[in-house]
Amino acid sequence: MTKEEFLYELKKELSALDSAEATAYNLRYYSDYIDAEIAKGRSEREVMDELGDPRLIANSIKEAEGLEED
């Protein structure tokens, strides 16, 4: 998975958030994190493998925002 694919999936999964600001914040956070890790010399693939499934990350974010998964 590429950075762009990861961010697309994350955005799609975060669409349940009522706050566009919270969605934008999280997308910016992960984009910046990926860029920073690549700048340190890691490959995009390494970073993506470390982050894992964007759906799981989105579920954690939604849980933190007080949204329950069915």
Side-chain angles (χ1 to χ4, degrees):
M1 176 175 290
T2 66
K3 173 187 172 182
E4 289 77 22
E5 291 167 333
F6 176 88
L7 293 173
Y8 173 81
E9 290 297 320
L10 186 61
K11 182 178 181 178
K12 186 171 72 172
E13 294 295 325
L14 291 177
S15 66
L17 294 178
D18 288 334
S19 171
E21 185 177 308
T23 298
Y25 169 82
N26 284 289
L27 291 172
R28 190 171 44 254
Y29 173 85
Y30 282 98
S31 179
D32 290 348
Y33 174 80
I34 294 164
D35 290 343
E37 291 301 306
I38 291 171
K40 292 177 185 175
R42 297 180 68 195
S43 72
E44 182 178 69
R45 182 179 183 122
E46 283 179 304
V47 179
M48 296 296 90
D49 287 346
E50 175 190 291
L51 288 174
D53 191 336
R55 290 178 296 171
L56 297 177
I57 293 171
N59 287 342
S60 295
I61 293 168
K62 289 187 279 188
E63 185 177 306
E65 293 286 327
L67 298 175
E68 297 291 326
E69 283 293 305
D70 292 336

